[in-house]
Amino acid sequence: MNLAGILNQNNLNRQQRESVLGWALILPAVLIILSLILYPIIYNIYLSFFDVNLEGGNTYIGLDNYSNVVFDSVFWNSVYTTILYVLFTTIGTTLLGLIVALAMNKEFPLRGLVRSLILLPYVAPVISVVFAWKFIFDPVNGIFMDITYEKLGMFSERFNMIGTPEYAVWVAILFSIWKGFPFAYLMILSRLQAIDATLYEAAEIDGANRWEKFKSITFPEVYFVVGAIVLLRIIWNFNKFEDIYLLTRNVKVLAVYTYFKAFTGYMEMGQGASLAVIQFLLLIGFILFYVKRVLKW
Amino acid sequence: MVKNKSFLNRAGFFLLVMAIVLFSIFPFIQMLSTSLKYQWDWGNPSLIPTQINLEAYKELLNIGQGEVELHESVQNLIDETPDITKAQKKAIIAKFRDTSSVFPFFRYFGNSLILATIAALLSVSIAILGAYSFSRMQYKGRSTIQRGVLFVYMFGGMLLLIPLYKMFVSLGFLSTKTGTFTSLIVIYLVQTLPVSLYMLGNYFRTISFSIEEAAMIEGAGRFETIWKIIVPLSASAIVTVFVYSFMIAWNEYLYASVFLRGFERLHTLPIGLQTLYYSKNAIWDRIMAASMLTAVPVIVLFMSIQKNLAGGMSAGGVKE
C-alpha cells in the first residue's frame, strides 16, 4: 500500500484525532489542577463571607470577616512585618546571589567543590536547618551570644534573639537570604556564562576599568534575569510560611497570622479565608507596583 | 607595584570566596558538631566536641537500645525495700524501661518516604503525558493550558489550605487513616504537578521530532512512541523532575501539620521533629542528630542530579 495515499485519505481525520489525543493526554493534569487549585480558590472566596463551622453549616455574615480582620491592629502589624520581610529578603538574596555569581564565574582552584558547597542551604530541608539556626542564636549555648556578648560586649546581657519579635524578624530575614541566595546565584551564573567574552576584550582595548565593564556589559546582560528573579522572590516570600514559622513563632507575617487565626484557638476559618484573600490582593498590588514602577515594562 | 596590586586582588578574592563558603556551610557544621556533643559541652563555642557522643544517633537509629539499663539507685531501691510485691517490682522496672517516649525516627522516616515517593511517581507519570501533549501536539486551547499552569505559581499554600481542609473534612477523608494519607498524597501531587509539567515540557521540545517521526512511519502509535522513544531519551530530565517533586513533598510541613492532626502514627519527619523540639527539654544533641538524618538523604539525592539542575531550572519550571 502507498503510505502517502493513506495519509492523504485520512488527512482531516488525523488532525481531529491529534486534537482528541492531545486533550486526552493533558486531561488528567488539567482535571487535578482545576479541582484542587482553581475550585478551592473560588471556594476560599466563598468561605470568606461566612462564619465557617467545620462540623456543619456555614452562616452567611457578609463582610463581617473582612471588617473584623481589618479593624484589628494585629493585622496591620503583620502587613508591616510582611512588607519588611519581603523587601529585605528580596534585596538581600538578589544582591548576594549577584556577588556570588560574579565570584564563581572566575577561575580558581577547587571551584567545583565550592560551587557544590554553596548549594547546600538551598538543598537541605527547612526543618533540618532551622534547629541549627535556633542553636546558633540560643541565649545559653549559641555562638552568636558568645561572640556578641562575651567577646565583643555589644549587649548588656545574654538574651533570646529569636524569642524577641523585633530582633526575630531580622534573624528570619537573614535565614531567608541564606536559604534563597543559591537560587539567585545559579540563575545569574548561567546567564553570565552566556555572555560573549569578546565584548570584554573590546572594552579592555578601549581602556574600560572593572566598574565600567560591569556597568555597560555585565549589568545590561543580566538585567532581565535579575528582574525575573526579583519577581519570583516577591511572590515566594510574600506567601512564605514554613521558613518563618519553623524558625520562630514570633514573626507574624500574614501567612503565619492566618495560620494562627484559622488553625489554633477558636479556629476562625472564615476570618482566615478572608485574610488569605486580602493577602492575595496585596501580592497582586505589590507585583503591579514592581512591574510598572521598578521594571517599567 | 603592579605585582603588589594583583596580589592584594587575589587575597581579597580568596577572602570573599572563603566568607561565602563559611556563610553557606556554617549552620551545617554547627549541626554536626552539636549532634556529637555531650550536654556539658553545648555551651562551649568550639565546633570540635571535647568528647565524641554518639548516643543521640544510637538512640534515633535504635542501636543497642534493646535493654534499657536500670539506674543503680532504682535497682537499690527495689532491692532494699522488702515490703513490695513481685508484681509491684515488675511494674516499677517496666516503667523505667519504657521506650515509648523515644523518638520513633524510623516510623516518621517511613511515612515521609512513602508519601513523597508515591506523590512524586504520580506527578511524574501524569506530567509525562501532559507535557508530551503540550510540547508535541497541535490543538485548540493548548497555549491557554500552558499559561494556566504557570499562573499556579501565584497562589501560596495558605490560600488553598483552608478550602482544601474544609473540602476533605466534608468528604469524610480525614476521619480514617487511609483517607488522610490519600488526601495528603493528592495535595502533594497537585503541588508538584505544575513544576513537573513545565520542566518536562521544556525538555521534550529539545528532542528532535525526526526520531519520533521515523518510529511513527514504522507504524508505532503515539503511546508506544512516548514509552519507547521519549521516556528513554529524557531519562535524566525525568529523574531530575522526580527528585524535585520528591523533595517538595519530603520537606512539606504546612499541610501535613493540619491534615495529620488526628493521627500521630502517620506523622512525617518535619512534624515529628517540630513536636520533639517543643515537647522536651535539653535535647539539642538528639534534635541535631535527627536533623542530620533528615537532611542527608535529600542532599545525596540532590547532588546526584546537580548536573541537570541549572539547566532544568533556567528552563523555567521552578518552585521552592
Side-chain angles (χ1 to χ4, degrees):
Chain A
M1 257 212 267
N2 184 336
L3 189 76
I6 295 172
L7 284 177
N8 255 339
Q9 199 188 334
N10 293 343
N11 201 10
L12 196 82
N13 242 336
R14 245 173 57 87
Q15 209 176 12
Q16 282 171 336
R17 274 219 318 267
E18 169 123 340
S19 193
V20 170
L21 188 62
W23 269 101
L25 290 178
I26 193 87
L27 202 63
V30 169
L31 280 182
I32 288 170
I33 289 175
L34 282 183
S35 59
L36 289 164
I37 292 184
L38 206 64
Y39 173 72
I41 287 170
I42 295 165
Y43 188 46
N44 184 82
I45 296 171
Y46 169 86
L47 285 178
S48 71
F49 298 109
F50 285 81
D51 184 17
V52 179
N53 189 341
L54 257 193
E55 308 302 318
N58 308 324
T59 328
Y60 179 74
I61 51 167
L63 289 171
D64 279 11
N65 282 329
Y66 288 91
S67 61
N68 278 337
V69 164
V70 174
F71 290 121
D72 189 346
S73 66
V74 185
F75 164 75
W76 291 104
N77 257 328
S78 58
V79 171
Y80 168 75
T81 313
T82 309
I83 292 175
L84 189 76
Y85 180 80
V86 172
L87 197 68
F88 280 95
T89 52
T90 306
I91 295 172
T93 38
T94 314
L95 261 185
L96 187 60
L98 183 63
I99 293 170
V100 174
L102 289 171
M104 294 304 137
N105 201 27
K106 292 207 167 96
E107 293 273 350
F108 60 88
L110 295 179
R111 186 170 69 165
L113 177 69
V114 168
R115 279 183 177 178
S116 300
L117 284 180
I118 60 179
L119 284 186
L120 283 178
Y122 179 65
V123 170
V126 192
I127 188 71
S128 65
V129 289
V130 283
F131 297 114
W133 275 74
K134 284 185 192 212
F135 187 82
I136 290 170
F137 290 98
D138 185 76
V140 183
N141 304 308
I143 194 160
F144 181 78
M145 275 297 144
D146 187 73
I147 292 174
T148 53
Y149 166 71
E150 300 278 341
K151 307 261 158 59
L152 300 175
M154 280 167 64
F155 303 110
S156 59
E157 57 180 342
R158 283 173 179 267
F159 70 102
N160 189 352
M161 279 286 270
I162 288 183
T164 328
E166 63 264 39
Y167 289 111
V169 66
W170 294 104
V171 178
I173 288 171
L174 187 65
F175 176 67
S176 175
I177 294 174
W178 176 77
K179 212 158 162 30
F181 90 86
F183 174 76
Y185 138 73
L186 273 179
M187 302 290 278
I188 298 172
L189 181 67
S190 64
R191 187 70 199 82
L192 282 179
Q193 285 170 337
I195 299 178
D196 191 353
T198 52
L199 285 177
Y200 291 106
E201 284 162 22
E204 265 164 47
I205 292 168
D206 289 344
N209 65 27
R210 216 186 293 176
W211 168 246
E212 283 166 342
K213 276 191 280 180
F214 176 78
K215 205 180 64 175
S216 40
I217 301 172
T218 316
F219 191 72
E221 290 275 346
V222 296
Y223 180 76
F224 182 77
V225 73
V226 168
I229 291 170
V230 168
L231 186 62
L232 279 174
R233 186 52 61 192
I234 289 175
I235 297 174
W236 285 335
N237 282 6
F238 213 91
N239 293 326
K240 194 65 85 189
F241 172 80
E242 292 173 5
D243 294 13
I244 301 162
Y245 179 80
L246 294 178
L247 183 70
T248 161
R249 296 182 177 180
N250 294 307
V251 179
K252 294 209 173 55
V253 293
L254 278 168
V256 175
Y257 181 53
T258 311
Y259 185 77
F260 277 118
K261 261 262 186 285
F263 294 100
T264 56
Y266 289 111
M267 296 189 61
E268 297 276 7
M269 295 223 172
Q271 287 192 26
S274 67
L275 269 168
V277 172
I278 294 174
Q279 188 185 341
F280 183 65
L281 294 177
L282 280 174
L283 172 61
I284 303 251
F286 222 75
I287 291 173
L288 284 180
F289 175 81
Y290 169 71
V291 171
K292 287 253 158 74
R293 290 292 162 82
V294 182
L295 286 183
K296 301 200 172 79
W297 279 352
Chain B
M1 192 60 196
V2 174
K3 219 175 186 181
N4 208 353
K5 196 182 165 199
S6 90
F7 172 75
L8 273 180
N9 262 339
R10 264 202 286 167
F13 182 73
F14 176 74
L15 282 179
L16 176 71
V17 172
M18 285 297 287
I20 293 169
V21 171
L22 191 68
F23 177 64
S24 308
I25 65 171
F26 182 77
F28 294 96
I29 300 172
Q30 181 75 68
M31 196 195 294
L32 179 66
S33 149
T34 310
S35 74
L36 295 172
K37 277 182 175 179
Y38 282 101
Q39 187 171 353
W40 48 262
D41 207 10
W42 290 346
N44 176 7
S46 160
L47 289 169
I48 298 158
T50 317
Q51 201 179 338
I52 298 277
N53 168 24
L54 288 172
E55 279 312 306
Y57 287 97
K58 280 187 189 162
E59 188 184 315
L60 289 175
L61 298 174
N62 222 348
I63 299 168
Q65 302 290 314
E67 277 294 87
V68 177
E69 285 287 318
L70 275 191
H71 201 270
E72 230 176 284
S73 61
V74 178
Q75 193 65 52
N76 285 344
L77 195 75
I78 294 171
D79 291 342
E80 287 164 15
T81 319
D83 51 342
I84 52 172
T85 64
K86 269 204 169 144
Q88 277 174 316
K89 262 190 198 172
K90 252 190 186 162
I92 292 170
I93 292 174
K95 193 168 175 238
F96 276 94
R97 285 194 170 156
D98 183 18
T99 53
S100 65
S101 63
V102 173
F103 184 66
F105 180 79
F106 280 112
R107 195 199 307 146
Y108 294 161
F109 191 93
N111 288 340
S112 282
L113 191 67
I114 295 171
L115 261 178
T117 310
I118 297 179
L121 272 180
L122 284 174
S123 169
V124 170
S125 319
I126 296 175
I128 288 175
L129 300 180
Y132 181 83
S133 163
F134 72 50
S135 65
R136 273 290 195 264
M137 305 181 82
Q138 303 289 333
Y139 53 89
K140 253 193 180 166
R142 190 184 68 153
S143 55
T144 317
I145 291 174
Q146 248 178 304
R147 259 179 272 134
V149 167
L150 256 188
F151 197 59
V152 169
Y153 283 130
M154 295 272 297
F155 309 121
M158 200 50 78
L159 187 61
L160 300 171
L161 178 63
I162 294 168
L164 282 175
Y165 183 63
K166 184 92 170 80
M167 277 162 64
F168 281 107
V169 168
S170 311
L171 291 171
F173 270 54
L174 298 191
S175 49
T176 62
K177 275 188 190 175
T178 336
T180 308
F181 220 65
T182 314
S183 47
L184 263 190
I185 288 177
V186 172
I187 286 170
Y188 292 167
L189 164 65
V190 75
Q191 297 225 322
T192 56
L193 194 57
V195 192
S196 308
L197 274 172
Y198 216 78
M199 285 173 85
L200 284 179
N202 281 327
Y203 192 82
F204 290 168
R205 278 192 206 100
T206 65
I207 299 174
S208 149
F209 186 66
S210 55
I211 308 171
E212 252 175 278
E213 212 171 18
M216 281 192 275
I217 288 170
E218 297 281 329
R222 283 279 187 181
F223 281 103
E224 211 177 330
T225 327
I226 295 176
W227 183 244
K228 292 205 170 138
I229 294 177
I230 296 288
V231 171
L233 278 180
S234 39
S236 69
I238 290 174
V239 170
T240 306
V241 171
F242 176 84
V243 171
Y244 226 93
S245 309
F246 181 90
M247 280 177 41
I248 291 174
W250 177 268
N251 298 343
E252 209 282 328
Y253 175 85
L254 177 59
Y255 284 89
S257 81
V258 170
F259 278 68
L260 296 178
R261 280 186 176 179
F263 300 101
E264 214 229 310
R265 290 193 68 84
L266 293 180
H267 278 186
T268 56
L269 267 181
I271 310 290
L273 275 167
Q274 183 78 347
T275 316
L276 176 69
Y277 180 80
Y278 281 102
S279 63
K280 291 178 184 173
N281 289 317
I283 40 138
W284 280 119
D285 54 343
R286 272 168 291 165
I287 275 280
M288 294 296 179
S291 296
M292 286 297 292
L293 294 174
T294 308
V296 165
V298 177
I299 291 176
V300 169
L301 269 180
F302 213 92
M303 289 304 164
S304 67
I305 59 156
Q306 201 196 330
K307 263 189 299 180
N308 310 324
L309 179 74
M313 286 207 309
S314 46
V318 194
K319 184 186 163 81
E320 275 205 320

